[in-house]
Amino acid sequence: MAKYSGGCDHIHTHANAEPIDNHICHCSVCKQVTGQDTTHVVFFKHGDIVSDHLDHLNRQPFNKNNPDGPLELCTCSTCGTPIMLNDKQGRIRAIVPNLMGYNAEQMPATYHAFFDPSTGVETPKDGRPVYEGLRPDFVWPEPAA
């Protein structure tokens, strides 16, 4: 049995490797796509998220204002459930646990990313570090071969 699993009734995904990043995102794109004020986002190396039916995914740009950007939102072609974010450069795959069928408690966020104090939103006070981007020590993995 996989350590982490998600998906929907039609497409199943899983990972046995640990995430490489796990944060609460405050960016405007996540807000627009998810409809949530903040979004728990978990990055895995691209090959660490495995799907049983990649051929049944609909793919659309994650950021409608940057349709040629590297991230695409993958949804089930049958029911429309969001399955994962795929990096077309082959570096990462990302999941949003509460929307993609994963257990968020298994992989709690360790910091706040893309927080913009100029929005007027109060700075989070939950004890986790708050950054204006990804955590300073985050390094993007090399693209998958």
Side-chain angles (χ1 to χ4, degrees):
M1 178 165 222
K3 182 166 188 171
Y4 305 108
S5 61
C8 66
D9 289 342
H10 312 102
I11 300 173
H12 308 98
T13 59
H14 69 270
N16 286 312
E18 291 301 318
I20 60 170
D21 189 78
N22 198 331
H23 62 271
I24 296 173
C25 191
H26 295 259
C27 83
S28 61
V29 177
C30 281
K31 289 178 185 185
Q32 189 174 62
V33 171
T34 68
Q36 301 175 137
D37 289 337
T38 61
T39 304
H40 179 188
V41 179
V42 183
F43 289 177
F44 288 88
K45 286 183 181 176
H46 192 271
D48 291 346
I49 293 278
V50 179
S51 173
D52 60 354
H53 290 294
L54 289 175
D55 56 329
H56 295 170
L57 291 173
N58 286 335
R59 298 165 185 264
Q60 54 271 338
F62 174 62
N63 182 349
K64 71 177 185 178
N65 295 323
N66 183 16
D68 297 323
L71 295 181
E72 57 188 1
L73 175 61
C74 300
T75 57
C76 175
S77 61
T78 302
C79 69
T81 296
I83 302 298
M84 70 178 138
L85 292 177
N86 182 59
D87 175 12
K88 294 182 285 187
Q89 296 176 12
R91 300 169 298 175
I92 66 161
R93 285 190 169 140
I95 57 130
V96 175
N98 72 317
L99 298 179
M100 298 176 178
Y102 285 78
N103 180 348
E105 292 177 12
Q106 283 186 297
M107 48 188 127
T110 59
Y111 70 102
H112 292 267
F114 301 104
F115 181 77
D116 181 359
S118 71
T119 63
V121 175
E122 188 174 331
T123 301
K125 293 180 173 49
D126 60 8
R128 291 180 267 214
V130 178
Y131 301 112
E132 291 183 13
L134 294 171
R135 60 185 160 83
D137 64 332
F138 180 77
V139 177
W140 288 93
E142 290 296 316

